[in-house]
Amino acid sequence: MMLIPCPWCGPRDETEFVYGEAALERPADPHALSDQEWTDYLYFRDNPKGEHTERWFHRAGCHHWFTVERNTVTHVISAAYPPGKAEKS
Amino acid sequence: MDETIARPRSPLAELFLSAQSAAPDDTAQVHVQSVPFVGQVALRGKAEDGAFRDIAGQVLGLDLPLSSGSVVESEAVRIIWLGPDHWLVVTNEGEAPALVTGLQEALASQFTAVIDVSGARMRLSLAGPAARDVLASGCTLNLDPSVFPAGHALQTPVGNATAIIHCLADGTYDTTPTYDLYIPRSQALSFWRWLEHAGKPYGLSVRA
């Protein structure tokens, strides 16, 4: 069980949240992408062992999406912040 | 034309709570009171928008609370912070429509939403020496008065429902721990079943 620090509500139990997969930067101009690049963006994800930047949704609290930097091995959360701030690609 | 007016029905109507409350149990450590109809207004707008805050504050007569857990109260309304762009304004039964109209007119030029959600939740008032223990058995928040004092409110799962817990008295200074719970109407009956179960070891008594 993880304690996830919501940027607005503070640390809350993992069961209050919904996982929203990897936090990726949306392509600025989707029309400029090839079908392969668009498919990669939509469907294919890295499965890193270690640091991972991902989105979570505070379903049972403030109903907001935010970004979490979590280590997939140790579950240590090194940062949590509102979407759009200092995101890695 | 049919003159019959649909009357609101408590989500707990089938439990006949008034019959249970006729014989209150004075030895019970927790007392619960059902308040099925409460005026409620959902107010949405950006907390960082000063104009929005000013106008909403003028209409409501109170400044909007801006941090997690905070509540402000006057005789007419109670404003509960639910998120960085979301407040629940609680008022008396039947007073929500006028409040919605007032807010909508005043905020017409702002990027906001004002919605009457009076039917969305019912209120349960939980009071007694064991009120906090009963709640704690079904929720993951720390309810200790040092971090969840009187005047604090948070939305979180309690039992099998997503409830708003508002602490009215935290048990310090010889007060009786008292909590208002706002329970989604559709979850009220199953929440009541959970509450009966959770309150059994302490004795749960229904108050009219």
Side-chain angles (χ1 to χ4, degrees):
Chain A
M1 186 69 77
M2 289 192 289
L3 210 54
I4 299 175
C6 169
W8 295 280
C9 303
R12 294 286 188 95
D13 201 275
E14 179 188 344
T15 53
E16 296 196 11
F17 298 87
V18 173
Y19 178 65
E21 75 147 281
L24 303 176
E25 198 175 326
R26 186 180 165 84
D29 182 8
H31 291 289
L33 300 184
S34 69
D35 285 354
Q36 188 57 52
E37 287 169 325
W38 184 239
T39 305
D40 284 348
Y41 167 70
L42 280 185
Y43 299 113
F44 291 101
R45 296 289 176 264
D46 296 335
N47 185 17
K49 186 177 181 181
E51 294 303 322
H52 191 225
T53 306
E54 57 200 19
R55 295 202 207 287
W56 287 82
F57 176 64
H58 197 180
R59 174 187 56 82
C62 62
H63 294 113
H64 273 257
W65 285 97
F66 59 101
T67 308
V68 169
E69 291 175 16
R70 175 178 67 96
N71 187 304
T72 58
V73 179
T74 63
H75 290 304
V76 170
I77 293 173
S78 53
Y81 39 82
K85 287 189 181 168
E87 286 184 3
K88 294 172 191 165
S89 59
Chain B
M1 210 176 104
D2 191 355
E3 295 288 320
T4 327
I5 299 168
R7 293 188 187 282
R9 184 174 184 271
S10 166
L12 303 180
E14 66 190 72
L15 298 175
F16 298 105
L17 294 178
S18 52
Q20 292 188 37
S21 65
D25 176 5
D26 291 335
T27 63
Q29 297 286 295
V30 192
H31 301 273
V32 59
Q33 185 185 20
S34 154
V35 187
F37 312 114
V38 185
Q40 295 165 81
V41 177
L43 174 62
R44 309 294 305 248
K46 291 199 178 299
E48 58 270 25
D49 180 351
F52 158 70
R53 287 203 316 268
D54 289 347
I55 298 171
Q58 278 167 16
V59 176
L60 295 168
L62 293 166
D63 288 338
L64 295 178
L66 296 177
S67 61
S68 172
S70 53
V71 183
V72 294
E73 267 184 278
S74 69
E75 278 189 19
V77 293
R78 180 185 280 179
I79 310 173
I80 301 173
W81 183 97
L82 289 184
D85 58 1
H86 191 180
W87 294 265
L88 181 69
V89 184
V90 181
T91 181
N92 297 320
E93 184 186 356
E95 290 179 12
L99 195 60
V100 168
T101 309
L103 281 166
Q104 280 177 342
E105 283 173 4
L107 291 166
S109 62
Q110 305 290 317
F111 182 64
T112 59
V114 182
I115 308 143
D116 187 341
V117 293
S118 298
R121 296 182 186 86
M122 72 167 299
R123 182 158 75 198
L124 291 174
S125 293
L126 210 60
R132 180 160 49 241
D133 295 331
V134 171
L135 276 183
S137 73
C139 113
T140 60
L141 290 184
N142 183 358
L143 299 176
D144 189 88
S146 62
V147 289
F148 205 118
H152 207 69
L154 289 172
Q155 182 162 240
T156 191
V158 181
N160 45 16
T162 300
I164 300 167
I165 308 175
H166 181 199
C167 180
L168 301 178
D170 57 22
T172 56
Y173 302 106
D174 290 334
T175 54
T176 302
T178 307
Y179 295 88
D180 270 358
L181 306 176
Y182 295 86
I183 310 292
R185 194 185 158 85
S186 61
Q187 299 175 329
L189 196 56
S190 69
F191 181 83
W192 184 272
R193 300 294 187 204
W194 172 83
L195 187 63
E196 280 181 329
H197 188 74
K200 206 162 195 177
Y202 308 96
L204 184 77
S205 160
V206 180
R207 270 187 185 158

